[in-house]
Amino acid sequence: MCSSDLVSARREFACWHFTVSDNGVGIPQQHLAEVFNLFKRLHGQDVPGTGLGLSICQRIMERLGGRIWVESEESHGSTFHFTIPYDQSTEAPNEAA
């Protein structure tokens, strides 16, 4: 496992599970599913951005056979999770076998 306060990665079954956390303003529960929509911006024009980043991330994860989701609490930051399958056939052979 590789980790820090904000980013971690661990192997789970046939995928890598990454988490990326922040200590920002958080996302209201009623908007969690919407943050991956094209051009969705929860903070209006006050915060820079186009509303494309998370939508692009979701499409990349889908094409790789993984998934992405977010857990958040308003005023307490957010944790984004994503999984990427790994090809077990590319691993080095087990020397004990």
Side-chain angles (χ1 to χ4, degrees), residues 22-83:
D22 67 35
N23 58 358
V25 297
I27 303 167
Q29 293 295 309
Q30 68 269 23
H31 296 297
L32 288 178
E34 299 173 30
V35 298
F36 297 101
N37 293 346
L38 279 171
F39 303 112
K40 183 62 179 178
R41 300 186 60 202
L42 298 179
H43 302 292
Q45 301 299 320
D46 299 335
V47 178
T50 61
L52 290 172
L54 290 173
S55 179
I56 291 170
C57 290
Q58 184 178 44
R59 288 178 186 219
I60 291 169
M61 291 303 103
E62 289 171 352
R63 290 201 174 151
L64 291 173
R67 64 187 195 106
I68 187 170
W69 67 99
V70 62
E71 296 171 342
S72 186
E73 186 177 338
E74 212 168 354
S75 301
H76 294 285
S78 302
T79 300
F80 288 85
H81 299 263
F82 63 96
T83 60

